[in-house]
Amino acid sequence: MIHLIDYSSLPPKEQETAYPFVRQLYEAAFPPEERRSQEDLQHALLHPDCHLSLVREETEATGFLGFLISWELSPTLTFIEHFAILPECRNRQLGSTILKLLTEQVTNAEACMLLEAEPPLTEIARRRIGFYERAGFEIIDTEYLQPSYHLGGAAVPLYLLAFNAQGTNLIEMIRLLYKRVYQTAFPRLP
């Protein structure tokens, strides 16, 4: 059985091994333009609305298998900023299991969950979008720009996907996402 464990609930000794694991997988799984610097990541994880969860099987002997960084943008809006599973643990339904756990919570709460994905320009990007769509997410914005994580860097064109987005205001969701996660103003006019 797969579990999501909140980083802050780990004993201090486990936190000492968990963060380097997250940092190494984070750097391996995401291109530089889609990730924070080490200092910025540590700062973001201190924010009370940012949550780091670790993926682990029921037995602790296996260690961590992945991580998820999410933001509670409002009582009804969650943003998955980064989600990664170790390469050797992929294709075992771990990601699907985690997304099912998360989306069940959203469905029960009648809330919405957002995430970003690369446009389907490569086979891996197409498969990733398909993975999220099978989990119940749908593409809600194909012209979305992720603000740069780096001072003076360019925005990154991504797709914005949502789970349970019926009746939500896309512009307001993106404004909140930009303000809380990226700490920048939303550039498009409503």
Side-chain angles (χ1 to χ4, degrees), residues 156-173:
V156 179
L158 296 174
Y159 279 13
L160 189 64
L161 290 86
F163 181 86
N164 204 31
Q166 303 83 354
T168 58
N169 182 316
L170 176 62
I171 299 295
E172 288 307 312
M173 284 193 307

Side-chain angles (χ1 to χ4, degrees), residues 72-85:
E72 186 177 329
L73 301 179
S74 77
T76 59
L77 183 61
T78 300
F79 171 63
I80 298 173
E81 183 177 14
H82 291 99
F83 178 37
I85 300 292

Side-chain angles (χ1 to χ4, degrees), residues 122-138:
T122 65
E123 180 59 29
I124 191 129
R126 284 188 288 278
R127 288 182 18 215
R128 188 172 293 121
I129 288 173
F131 165 75
Y132 290 127
E133 288 176 329
R134 286 188 300 280
F137 285 81
E138 52 190 320

Side-chain angles (χ1 to χ4, degrees), residues 9-20:
S9 71
L10 292 172
K13 268 211 179 288
E14 253 191 307
Q15 285 184 0
E16 288 176 20
T17 60
Y19 184 78

Side-chain angles (χ1 to χ4, degrees), residues 46-187:
L46 294 174
H47 193 286
D49 297 329
C50 183
H51 306 284
L52 171 59
S53 300
L54 293 130
V55 178
R56 176 183 272 166
E57 287 185 294
E58 195 167 307
T59 168
E60 292 184 22
T62 58
F64 301 115
L65 308 175
F67 72 88
L68 179 117
I69 298 172
S70 63
W71 289 78
E72 186 177 329
L73 301 179
S74 77
T76 59
L77 183 61
T78 300
F79 171 63
I80 298 173
E81 183 177 14
H82 291 99
F83 178 37
I85 300 292
L86 285 170
E88 62 270 23
C89 296
R90 293 179 189 152
N91 299 317
R92 291 178 34 203
Q93 303 298 313
L94 299 175
S96 300
T97 300
I98 295 302
L99 285 180
K100 184 175 184 201
L101 289 171
L102 294 170
T103 57
E104 283 174 352
Q105 293 173 1
V106 168
T107 302
N108 293 338
E110 296 182 5
C112 179
M113 187 173 293
L114 298 173
L115 58 82
E116 302 160 335
E118 295 89 357
L121 304 176
T122 65
E123 180 59 29
I124 191 129
R126 284 188 288 278
R127 288 182 18 215
R128 188 172 293 121
I129 288 173
F131 165 75
Y132 290 127
E133 288 176 329
R134 286 188 300 280
F137 285 81
E138 52 190 320
I139 297 167
I140 60 170
D141 191 347
T142 59
E143 297 179 21
Y144 173 80
L145 293 174
Q146 176 197 56
S148 178
Y149 281 117
H150 311 286
L151 188 61
V156 179
L158 296 174
Y159 279 13
L160 189 64
L161 290 86
F163 181 86
N164 204 31
Q166 303 83 354
T168 58
N169 182 316
L170 176 62
I171 299 295
E172 288 307 312
M173 284 193 307
I174 296 173
R175 280 184 206 269
L176 189 57
L177 175 59
Y178 271 43
K179 179 180 178 185
R180 300 284 295 285
V181 176
Y182 299 106
Q183 299 176 354
T184 190
F186 181 53

